[in-house]
């Protein structure tokens, strides 16, 4: 094999590899055969990815001796719900899926979470492979086995921990992404620097523009770095009992904004995480855990790359702290009435804060909603 970079993940749910490299789609049939043998494969993807890459992926899979059926869902967060899940499960069953088949999740975070969830429950669980196509899914959601759908009561509230057998990452796929999607994915990239890797943050301050221009070497480097951090965390704490919680930096505030908008594309998940990270850093500074210069520095970096730092001004929506607090109260990360937040002591040094009261959270929203 190739010039692919290998990152190993070894959670309790089963070890697997992430392979990162240019043109990995063309090698995907062989890579899957190497790990799982020749199988009947059900590719789950969305319309956008199907239009761009379906033929190429199917060619690689059939070329390596797999039998292939592709199931296509609508693009966007709206597909991560019960009705899409039911439709996908119905399609798979009608087309004769058996326990020996493999699901390939081919798309961004929505497809990965939906297809992973389907794989974990259909016929009580079958093998699946992730081939992520967005920056966000390549650095985060395709690794670690979190699967989910959203409900009216909140994001990712129904799902499973179910590890893939292989993750194939082709940074070249990012070339077809709109800049907005790339910036949204960058929100998750920066998270790794902020939570545990100050040199990565410093590298991004210098080279972040190259990542957004999809420079091949910059993307390969940064995706591998992020996957390595994620692999280590997930290998030690698959079920988010301790260190995996750190990966939720920016997410508690971010999910509240997404829920307030009903998960539509006025705010992408990665954009919500970027804004949520700024709020988490400002909260860290206000509570005296880190220097006031930390959120200022990170905000400056985001703004230099065109990432959002505040909830967007929308003509048909008003951000009200009270409403956002209600969404936060439904979050998975509320324990004994206290909100669990991920805060930082410095860039690269995050920790779990278990004492966030309603007043603290209200101040955080007011500060950012009134801030620049
Ligand atoms: N995206 C956060 C996690 O995988 O734990």
């Amino acid at each position: 094999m190739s010039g692919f970079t290998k990152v190993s993940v070894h959670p309790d749910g089963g070890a697997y590899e992430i392979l990162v490299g240019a043109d990995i789609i063309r090698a995907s049939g062989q890579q899957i055969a190497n790990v799982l043998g020749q199988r009947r494969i059900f590719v789950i993807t969305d319309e956008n990815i199907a239009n761009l890459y379906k033929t190429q992926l199917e060619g690689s899979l059939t070329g390596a001796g797999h039998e292939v059926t592709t199931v296509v869902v609508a693009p966007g967060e709206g597909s991560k719900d019960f009705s899409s899940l039911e439709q996908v499960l119905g399609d798979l069953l009608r087309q004769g899926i058996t326990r020996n088949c493999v699901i390939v999740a081919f798309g961004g975070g929505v497809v990965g979470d939906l297809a992973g969830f389907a794989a974990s429950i259909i016929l009580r669980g079958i093998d699946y492979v992730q081939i992520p196509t967005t920056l966000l899914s390549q650095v985060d959601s395709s690794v670690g086995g979190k699967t989910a759908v959203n409900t009216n009561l909140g994001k990712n509230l129904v799902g499973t921990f179910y590890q893939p057998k292989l993750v194939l990452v082709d940074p070249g796929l990012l070339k077809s992404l709109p800049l907005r999607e790339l910036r949204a994915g960058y929100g998750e990239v920066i998270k790794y620097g902020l939570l545990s890797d100050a040199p990565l943050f410093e590298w991004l301050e210098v080279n972040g523009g190259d990542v957004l221009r999809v420079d091949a070497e910059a993307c390969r480097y940064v995706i591998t770095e992020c996957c390595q951090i994620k692999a280590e965390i997930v290998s030690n704490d698959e079920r988010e009992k301790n260190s995996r919680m750190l990966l939720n930096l920016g997410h508690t505030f971010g999910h509240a904004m997404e829920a307030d908008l009903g998960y539509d594309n006025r705010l992408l998940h990665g954009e919500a995480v970027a804004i949520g990270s700024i709020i988490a850093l400002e909260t860290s500074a206000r509570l005296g855990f880190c220097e006031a210069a930390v959120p200022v520095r990170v905000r400056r970096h985001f703004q230099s790359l065109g990432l959002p730092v505040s909830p967007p001004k929308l003509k048909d929506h008003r951000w009200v702290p009270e409403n956002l607090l209600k969404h936060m109260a439904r979050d998975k990360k509320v324990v004994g009435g206290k909100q669990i937040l991920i805060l930082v002591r410095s860039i690269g040094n995050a920790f779990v804060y278990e004492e966030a009261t309603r007043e603290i959270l209200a101040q955080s929203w007011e500060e950012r909603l009134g801030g620049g």
Side-chain angles (χ1 to χ4, degrees):
M1 183 202 81
S2 79
F4 302 140
T5 310
K6 196 190 289 186
V7 177
S8 300
V9 196
H10 39 87
D12 294 341
Y16 55 97
E17 268 159 11
I18 309 166
L19 299 179
V20 185
D23 231 1
I24 209 166
I25 293 204
R26 276 208 292 162
S28 56
Q30 193 51 54
Q31 294 303 334
I32 293 172
N34 291 349
V35 176
L36 297 171
Q38 286 171 332
R39 302 273 199 103
R40 181 166 184 210
I41 292 181
F42 285 84
V43 176
I44 300 178
T45 190
D46 71 26
E47 282 155 18
N48 294 340
I49 297 299
N51 289 338
L52 289 167
Y53 303 116
K54 175 173 180 277
T55 314
Q56 204 177 333
L57 179 64
E58 286 182 346
S60 168
L61 297 175
T62 51
H66 308 283
E67 191 187 330
V68 186
T69 307
T70 299
V71 173
V72 181
V73 299
E77 193 78 28
S79 282
K80 225 176 98 172
D81 67 357
F82 276 117
S83 80
S84 305
L85 177 69
E86 194 177 358
Q87 200 168 330
V88 166
L89 294 172
D91 283 350
L92 297 172
L93 293 168
R94 271 187 296 279
Q95 304 203 58
I97 195 163
T98 67
R99 280 205 169 138
N100 194 42
C101 296
V102 175
I103 286 178
V104 169
F106 185 39
V110 168
V111 165
D113 282 8
L114 179 71
F117 193 22
S120 73
I121 56 176
I122 197 156
L123 307 174
R124 300 212 168 89
I126 68 167
D127 293 341
Y128 81 114
V129 172
Q130 290 274 10
I131 307 186
T133 59
T134 60
L135 183 56
L136 184 144
S137 56
Q138 292 189 346
V139 298
D140 185 52
S141 59
S142 68
V143 177
K146 276 191 181 175
T147 83
V149 291
N150 301 326
T151 77
N152 293 340
L153 295 176
K155 196 173 160 75
N156 295 337
L157 288 184
V158 178
T160 51
F161 289 102
Y162 192 65
Q163 301 297 334
K165 295 290 181 201
L166 178 68
V167 181
L168 300 173
V169 181
D170 185 344
L173 300 181
L174 303 179
K175 288 208 176 76
S176 58
L177 277 192
L179 182 57
R180 183 177 175 205
E181 286 274 356
L182 284 166
R183 284 187 175 131
Y186 195 89
E188 296 277 6
V189 169
I190 207 91
K191 178 182 86 174
Y192 290 102
L194 296 176
L195 72 90
S196 75
D197 193 340
L200 176 61
F201 178 80
E202 282 155 20
W203 184 90
L204 288 166
E205 281 187 308
V206 177
N207 302 290
D210 290 340
V211 175
L212 294 183
R213 279 187 290 278
V214 194
D215 173 82
E217 189 42 38
C219 286
R220 193 202 54 76
Y221 170 77
V222 89
I223 290 167
T224 308
E225 287 293 300
C226 294
C227 285
Q228 248 148 10
I229 297 171
K230 178 131 192 196
E232 195 178 322
I233 290 177
V234 166
S235 299
N236 290 323
D237 179 25
E238 180 183 15
R239 294 205 161 230
E240 202 171 303
K241 301 281 185 237
N242 41 69
S243 59
R244 188 165 183 170
M245 284 194 220
L246 299 178
L247 293 171
N248 292 321
L249 178 66
H251 283 60
T252 305
F253 293 107
H255 283 171
M257 287 180 276
E258 287 182 272
D260 209 37
L261 292 176
Y263 311 109
D264 64 18
N265 70 359
R266 286 178 289 177
L267 192 64
L268 302 176
H269 175 63
E271 293 171 333
V273 169
I275 301 161
S277 298
I278 297 294
I279 301 176
L281 297 181
E282 287 175 342
T283 306
S284 308
R286 202 180 63 247
L287 297 179
F289 291 116
C290 74
E291 288 175 13
V294 168
V296 174
R297 180 175 170 188
V298 177
R299 232 171 28 230
R300 194 179 303 131
H301 177 55
F302 279 16
Q303 284 167 325
S304 75
L305 294 177
L307 266 74
V309 296
S310 298
K313 294 197 186 341
L314 300 165
K315 57 177 177 332
D316 48 359
H317 186 81
R318 208 162 64 85
W319 298 103
V320 179
E322 191 63 30
N323 298 344
L324 293 159
L325 290 172
K326 274 191 203 132
H327 294 300
M328 292 181 96
R330 293 195 190 113
D331 195 89
K332 292 191 288 308
K333 293 168 280 298
V334 177
V335 175
K338 295 259 173 66
Q339 188 90 44
I340 296 189
L341 288 183
I342 307 307
L343 301 182
V344 303
R345 295 202 167 83
S346 60
I347 288 174
N349 182 4
F351 68 101
V352 179
Y353 180 65
E354 300 188 4
E355 300 302 323
T357 59
R358 206 172 182 289
E359 289 66 37
I360 289 175
L361 300 172
Q363 272 180 9
S364 298
W365 284 115
E366 276 152 20
E367 182 179 3
R368 185 81 316 249
L369 285 166

